[in-house]
Amino acid sequence: MSNPIAATPQPLTPDEESLVRALGQVMHVLPRAIDADMVGDRQLPLTEYTALMNLSETPERRMRMNELAALCYLSLSGMTRTIMRLETQGLVRRERCEEDARGWNAVLTDAGYARLEESWPSHLAAVRRRFLQHFEGFDLARLARAFQQAGTAEPTD
Amino acid sequence: MSNPIAATPQPLTPDEESLVRALGQVMHVLPRAIDADMVGDRQLPLTEYTALMNLSETPERRMRMNELAALCYLSLSGMTRTIMRLETQGLVRRERCEEDARGWNAVLTDAGYARLEESWPSHLAAVRRRFLQHFEGFDLARLARAFQQAGTAEPTD
DNA sequence: TATCTCTGCTTGATTGGTCAAGCAAATACT
DNA sequence: AGTATTTGCTTGACCAATCAAGCAGAGATA
């Protein structure tokens, strides 16, 4: 016999509750901790690292602003500002897009590539130590699928 | 035969990689989505909801600023400002602490409690639809423990 | 009890992000 | 072709968080 008002969903079970709380903490702690590791270690904030990394994974080491913004989970204006910071450090160059004169490509410079090469072990280590380490013995592929759903699915209202 | 320089950790396996990427997306999307749900639904931002909720779970519906800040994952100054916003809405009152005249208690008002009662179903529904739904069939307790570790453990360097 | 240090919180300055408005190039419409 | 609309990005205004400095009360020390 369901509630005709259909308002309140099931309250959380204790396990659900602790999972939600723990996830909340991880969402707060993890990015800050990894960023702090990167900055302490290599003077490269996580946001900037992410931009360089996404650029480096492209065949020509260049990408349009909107695409890069999406991959970095950043607004377009946020991306503009990140690229500005990287440009003043000489790690990225901006080039007008050939096939569309409104567009810009962010291009990884050699200095940027070098910076990335020197930094990724630090990032990798942080991710392992602070996160993956605690999931040994888990079915990571299955977990990943669930998180992908949670990250992409529009909720079924 | 291990690397004598001991520098670079194991690169990520494909499964690890997709888990990390998916978690990154969830960490970005989930708080914004839930906050948007709450604001769209009840005009109550997630940060303010969290503060009210933590206050309500205390026997006297009051808490010292530093304790509340910790539970909300907020700096002390961030908490001061959140409480200011809540105070101007009449949802919280501030009282000098009796046993320590430097301290303040944030006290949930009746209006604040009412606001919380009217809002929690929205929060609960958002958490279910956007997150828990995708973890049906998982061992939630085990997952929660892993996340707790990741959230609290200092990394083993 | 006078003073020194420490603690709890607030305030000021800064930061890294967002959204909204603006601008120039591209595209669609007539 | 000429105009209207759309698109890609930047800029300006804002906002919620942080850190650092300040302040008042508490506790320790002489």
Side-chain angles (χ1 to χ4, degrees):
Chain A
M1 220 174 299
S2 70
N3 180 352
I5 312 279
T8 67
Q10 281 288 315
L12 299 182
T13 67
D15 285 348
E16 287 174 333
E17 169 109 24
S18 34
L19 177 56
V20 168
R21 292 192 110 92
L23 180 75
Q25 182 165 24
V26 163
M27 292 194 308
H28 179 82
V29 163
L30 211 84
R32 286 165 175 78
I34 294 179
D35 183 74
D37 287 351
M38 299 284 299
V39 170
D41 231 68
R42 294 299 178 197
Q43 316 273 43
L44 188 62
L46 184 53
T47 308
E48 300 181 12
Y49 174 83
T50 306
L52 296 183
M53 197 203 54
N54 280 296
L55 285 178
S56 81
E57 287 178 349
T58 226
E60 298 287 345
R61 293 187 188 164
R62 77 188 50 224
M63 208 182 290
R64 294 288 290 269
M65 295 298 289
N66 53 14
E67 191 182 352
L68 186 56
L71 288 175
C72 295
Y73 304 124
L74 224 54
S75 68
L76 203 39
S77 52
M79 198 70 245
T80 296
R81 269 136 192 167
T82 301
I83 290 296
M84 274 163 125
R85 293 194 291 271
L86 289 169
E87 204 180 12
T88 65
Q89 301 172 66
L91 305 180
V92 156
R93 180 169 23 99
R94 291 160 36 98
E95 281 180 9
R96 273 255 178 238
C97 182
E98 297 191 350
E99 64 272 13
D100 185 339
R102 293 168 299 182
W104 290 90
N105 280 298
V107 188
L108 191 61
T109 64
D110 289 348
Y113 191 78
R115 195 90 167 74
L116 184 62
E117 278 208 307
E118 132 202 326
S119 307
W120 70 258
S122 175
H123 180 257
L124 177 52
V127 168
R128 283 212 170 286
R129 289 201 327 264
R130 301 213 176 251
F131 178 62
L132 288 172
Q133 193 181 33
H134 306 287
F135 289 84
E136 276 167 21
F138 279 77
D139 180 345
L140 298 187
R142 183 170 174 234
L143 253 190
R145 280 194 302 275
F147 273 99
Q148 271 158 25
Q149 284 176 37
T152 56
E154 270 315 289
T156 67
D157 295 281
Chain B
M1 223 174 296
S2 72
N3 179 351
I5 313 279
T8 65
Q10 281 287 315
L12 299 184
T13 67
D15 284 348
E16 288 174 332
E17 167 108 23
S18 34
L19 177 56
V20 168
R21 292 192 110 91
L23 180 76
Q25 181 164 24
V26 163
M27 292 194 308
H28 178 82
V29 164
L30 212 86
R32 287 166 174 78
I34 294 178
D35 182 75
D37 287 350
M38 300 285 298
V39 170
D41 231 69
R42 293 300 178 200
Q43 316 272 45
L44 188 64
L46 184 54
T47 308
E48 300 182 12
Y49 174 82
T50 306
L52 296 184
M53 197 203 54
N54 280 297
L55 285 178
S56 80
E57 287 178 348
T58 227
E60 298 288 343
R61 293 188 188 165
R62 78 188 50 223
M63 208 182 290
R64 294 287 290 268
M65 294 298 289
N66 53 14
E67 192 182 351
L68 186 55
L71 289 175
C72 295
Y73 304 124
L74 223 52
S75 67
L76 203 41
S77 52
M79 198 71 245
T80 297
R81 269 134 193 170
T82 300
I83 289 297
M84 275 164 124
R85 293 194 291 272
L86 289 169
E87 204 181 9
T88 64
Q89 302 171 67
L91 305 180
V92 156
R93 181 170 21 101
R94 292 160 35 96
E95 281 180 8
R96 272 239 114 101
C97 182
E98 297 191 348
E99 64 271 15
D100 184 339
R102 293 167 299 181
W104 290 91
N105 280 298
V107 188
L108 191 61
T109 64
D110 289 348
Y113 191 79
R115 195 91 168 73
L116 184 62
E117 278 208 306
E118 132 202 326
S119 307
W120 71 258
S122 176
H123 180 257
L124 176 54
V127 168
R128 283 212 169 286
R129 288 200 329 263
R130 301 210 176 254
F131 178 62
L132 289 172
Q133 192 181 33
H134 306 286
F135 289 84
E136 277 168 20
F138 279 77
D139 181 345
L140 298 187
R142 183 168 174 238
L143 253 190
R145 281 194 303 274
F147 274 99
Q148 271 158 25
Q149 284 175 37
T152 56
E154 269 316 288
T156 67
D157 296 283

